């Protein structure tokens, strides 16, 4: 999918600064005197924002590199702690434990976590990627999904590549019982494929693009089996620190516009962060990432989640369809995107 696809969301990127400022500085009735209100605001704003960055989320890398959040939150007395997520499963673990306030996952992983009780909301859509595919080595004899029957496949459970594998198997008339799934983190899955420990790997970019450059074969691709990139925040963070939450979304929308305008530099930032050949990083950013997507979580994402949800129940990852339905109904929150003001984020 082309990187710089034009969309009609530009109006979101030009939200009125006055409205955003009012939303960010509005007082709560009944807090007491002006001095007490100021003290309360200072207490709510102080501390540390714990936020993840991930090589599968290029916008997070841009924001981290540019220092925009540090500059935006300095006046609130807030420092920024960046925590790397090695996969959606790790981001979900960090959100559930409180190690991060904001974390990057695939849509499928966010739904899985929410359905199983994780108190999170999706506050921004950071990409519409084709970041997962089925991969094998040249000369393996595997060229179709049906060829996986009886074979071993590496996949990271709780992430888009794992659910990509399940959907691919189902489409081919197979199930997870027809293969041996080796639950390995993404980088370890690539290593297992290359050293012959597994026959195939359900890969994730940019690691997958690096393997492809070294001769690995992407033998099955399906854009519709890739769920969106979801930026999630804990409900406690959204309730207790709304100004910080708005600053995060403002920064993401500034990064989106900047990345669309500067794709080559975005690819270089990814290459540096992930130790990738710049050509591989360009493949990921220019060909397999759509960062210029409508950032407001909404109906497009609900449709994707409703499609993948029953698979979680079938595999036993979620106990009931009711949990899926409740999660789909309550996960997405577009309120911060609707108030987003990228111009509030100044260059550091």
């Amino acid at each position: 999918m082309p990187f710089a696809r034009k969309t009609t969301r530009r109006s979101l990127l030009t939200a009125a600064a006055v409205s955003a400022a009012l939303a960010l500085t509005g007082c709560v009735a009944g807090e007491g005197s002006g001095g007490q209100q100021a003290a309360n605001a200072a207490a709510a704003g102080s501390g540390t924002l714990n936020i993840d960055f991930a090589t599968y989320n290029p916008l997070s890398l841009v924001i981290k590199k540019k220092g925009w959040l540090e500059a935006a939150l300095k006046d609130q007395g807030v420092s920024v702690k960046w925590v790397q997520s090695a996969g959606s499963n790790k981001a979900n673990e960090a959100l559930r434990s409180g190690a991060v306030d904001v974390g990057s996952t695939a849509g499928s992983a966010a739904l899985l976590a929410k359905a199983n009780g994780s108190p999170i909301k999706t506050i921004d859509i950071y990409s519409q990627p084709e970041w997962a595919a089925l991969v094998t080595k040249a000369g393996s004899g595997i060229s179709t999904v049906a060829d996986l029957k009886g074979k071993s496949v590496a996949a990271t459970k709780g992430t888009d590549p794992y659910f990509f594998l399940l959907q691919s198997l189902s489409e081919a008339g197979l199930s997870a019982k027809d293969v041996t799934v080796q639950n390995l983190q993404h980088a370890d899955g690539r290593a297992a494929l290359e050293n012959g420990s597994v026959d195939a790997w359900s890969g994730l970019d940019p690691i997958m693009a690096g393997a492809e450059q070294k001769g690995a074969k992407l033998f099955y691709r399906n854009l519709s089996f890739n769920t969106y990139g979801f930026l999630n925040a804990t409900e406690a963070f959204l309730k207790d620190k709304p100004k910080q939450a708005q600053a995060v979304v403002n920064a993401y929308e500034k990064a989106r516009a900047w990345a669309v305008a500067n794709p080559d530099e975005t690819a270089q930032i990814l290459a540096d962060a992930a130790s990738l050949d710049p050509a591989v990083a360009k493949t990921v950013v220019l060909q397999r990432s759509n960062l210029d997507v409508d950032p407001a979580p909404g109906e497009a994402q609900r449709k994707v989640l409703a499609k993948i949800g029953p698979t979680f129940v079938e595999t036993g990852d979620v106990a009931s369809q009711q949990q899926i339905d409740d999660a789909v109904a309550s996960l997405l929150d577009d309120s911060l995107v609707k108030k987003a003001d990228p111009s509030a984020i100044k260059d550091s």
Side-chain angles (χ1 to χ4, degrees):
M1 180 171 291
F3 174 83
R5 179 175 63 81
K6 301 299 182 183
T7 72
T8 59
R9 63 164 190 85
R10 291 305 181 196
S11 60
L12 290 172
L13 298 182
T14 56
V18 173
S19 296
L22 289 173
L24 293 178
T25 59
C27 297
V28 178
E31 280 187 335
S33 67
Q36 183 61 50
Q37 290 174 1
N40 291 341
S46 63
T48 302
L49 166 66
N50 298 295
I51 185 170
D52 84 338
F53 68 100
T55 57
Y56 54 84
N57 177 359
L59 296 187
S60 71
L61 304 180
V62 170
I63 296 167
K64 182 174 183 290
K65 176 75 172 180
K66 296 294 185 179
W68 289 335
L69 275 174
E70 287 83 351
L73 295 173
K74 183 178 180 180
D75 289 345
Q76 297 182 36
V78 176
S79 61
V80 180
K81 180 181 179 182
W82 291 94
V83 178
Q84 184 167 13
S85 291
S88 293
N89 60 326
K90 297 301 182 182
N92 274 332
E93 289 173 9
L95 284 163
R96 185 182 284 273
S97 69
V100 298
D101 304 303
V102 182
S104 321
T105 74
S108 58
L111 175 61
L112 178 65
K114 184 72 170 179
N116 283 318
S118 184
I120 60 173
K121 293 279 190 180
T122 299
I123 58 173
D124 192 278
I125 303 300
Y126 62 81
S127 69
Q128 183 186 19
E130 185 193 6
W131 54 17
L134 297 182
V135 189
T136 192
K137 293 172 67 174
S140 68
I142 296 173
S143 59
T144 69
V145 178
D147 294 332
L148 291 178
K149 187 172 184 178
K151 300 292 196 302
S152 58
V153 185
T156 309
K157 290 189 175 181
T159 71
D160 239 24
Y162 175 66
F163 301 122
F164 184 96
L165 172 64
L166 295 182
Q167 291 179 91
S168 301
L169 291 171
S170 177
E171 183 183 60
L174 302 174
S175 73
K177 296 179 180 179
D178 293 305
V179 300
T180 300
V181 177
Q182 297 288 343
N183 184 22
L184 300 172
Q185 205 60 43
H186 301 298
D188 297 329
R190 173 185 173 177
L193 177 67
E194 292 178 344
N195 67 27
S197 298
V198 296
D199 301 300
W201 168 48
S202 196
L204 179 74
D205 272 337
I207 301 169
M208 181 172 68
E212 185 180 24
Q213 187 190 46
K214 299 296 185 181
K217 303 298 181 183
L218 277 56
F219 69 92
Y220 185 69
R221 299 169 67 173
N222 189 326
L223 178 62
S224 69
F225 287 173
N226 290 260
T227 60
Y228 291 77
F230 280 31
L231 187 70
N232 310 301
T234 65
E235 293 176 354
F237 172 70
L238 294 174
K239 178 183 177 182
D240 297 339
K241 299 180 178 180
K243 291 176 68 175
Q244 290 186 33
Q246 187 66 64
V248 169
V249 174
N250 290 347
Y252 261 82
E253 293 319 300
K254 180 181 176 73
R256 188 188 312 280
W258 185 92
V260 169
N262 300 275
D264 289 339
E265 191 172 347
T266 300
Q268 187 60 55
I269 290 173
L270 172 59
D272 293 342
S275 300
L276 291 175
D277 184 315
V280 174
K282 284 186 177 182
T283 296
V284 174
V285 171
L286 296 174
Q287 299 179 24
R288 298 211 284 253
S289 295
N290 175 23
L291 303 179
D292 193 22
V293 65
D294 186 341
E299 189 58 31
Q301 289 74 43
R302 287 190 188 91
K303 289 179 179 178
V304 169
L305 298 181
K307 179 180 177 182
I308 187 65
T311 300
F312 298 163
V313 180
E314 292 171 9
T315 59
D317 291 299
V318 176
S320 71
Q321 183 60 41
Q322 187 60 54
Q323 289 172 246
I324 295 292
D325 295 342
D326 292 344
V328 171
S330 61
L331 176 61
L332 306 179
D333 182 352
D334 65 359
S335 62
L336 297 177
V337 169
K338 287 182 175 179
K339 295 183 293 185
D341 179 16
S343 69
I345 304 297
K346 307 302 181 183
D347 293 333
S348 58

